[in-house]
Amino acid sequence: MRTIEARFDLETIFRAQYERVARVIARVVRDPARAEELAVEVFLKLWRNPQAQDGNTEGWLYRAAVRTGLD
């Protein structure tokens, strides 16, 4: 039986989605440097949240990016 950790590859997801997440946040905060910092925080939240790792990770990242930018 495989665990979530075995199926979830944060590095691969980070490489594939980081630019998108940073762009989404940049549209909200209008500061590209701050958006990059906040994008890293989004991925830390993903890493700490096992429920977000199972299912629609891209959708979760998008919602988390928007919410992080608004906060």
Side-chain angles (χ1 to χ4, degrees):
M1 182 174 191
R2 299 175 101 188
T3 63
I4 290 175
E5 292 83 18
R7 291 181 285 143
F8 186 75
D9 184 359
L10 182 62
E11 183 177 353
T12 300
I13 293 169
F14 181 86
R15 289 177 188 265
Q17 297 295 320
Y18 174 79
E19 288 184 29
R20 176 178 173 248
V21 169
R23 278 194 312 267
V24 168
I25 295 170
R27 280 188 243 138
V28 176
V29 300
R30 300 191 186 273
D31 180 351
R34 181 68 179 139
E36 289 180 6
E37 293 172 2
L38 292 172
V40 171
E41 289 183 25
V42 168
F43 283 95
L44 285 173
K45 289 178 188 177
L46 174 64
W47 180 62
R48 292 180 185 137
N49 186 350
Q51 293 175 337
Q53 300 169 11
D54 200 22
N56 184 5
T57 303
E58 288 183 27
W60 186 94
L61 284 170
Y62 178 80
R63 287 188 311 275
V66 171
R67 289 178 182 153
T68 299
L70 292 171
D71 286 344

